[in-house]
């Protein structure tokens, strides 16, 4: 009678943690920036601001 060699069970590994991408420095992770409003032919700035998408991260908040 021959003996059958059992294969060893695979080692269990801890799941890898999802790496968090660094937040964008320009928008501080919000995805929006505030820009000054310009009016008139000479493009003078007024005291109002408007929000716009961050051009560095395209609104995702991460680089």
């Amino acid at each position: 009678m021959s003996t059958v060699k059992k294969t060893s069970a695979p080692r269990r590994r801890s799941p890898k943690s999802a790496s968090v991408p660094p937040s964008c420095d320009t928008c501080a992770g919000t995805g929006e920036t505030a820009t000054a409003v310009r009016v008139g032919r000479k493009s003078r700035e007024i005291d109002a601001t408007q929000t716009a998408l961050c051009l560095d991260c395209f609104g995702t908040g991460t680089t």
Side-chain angles (χ1 to χ4, degrees):
M1 188 184 223
S2 64
T3 59
V4 177
K5 185 175 182 180
K6 292 184 179 180
T7 58
S8 61
R11 293 185 181 186
R12 293 188 180 203
R13 296 181 179 170
S14 60
K16 293 183 179 180
S17 61
S19 62
V20 178
S23 62
C24 180
D25 293 331
T26 306
C27 64
T30 60
E32 293 181 344
T33 57
T35 57
V37 177
R38 295 175 176 244
V39 295
R41 285 185 2 191
K42 296 182 182 179
S43 296
R44 69 178 192 276
E45 291 184 6
I46 59 174
D47 292 332
T49 58
Q50 64 184 7
T51 59
L53 285 177
C54 177
L55 296 178
D56 292 337
C57 65
F58 295 110
T60 60
T62 58
T63 56

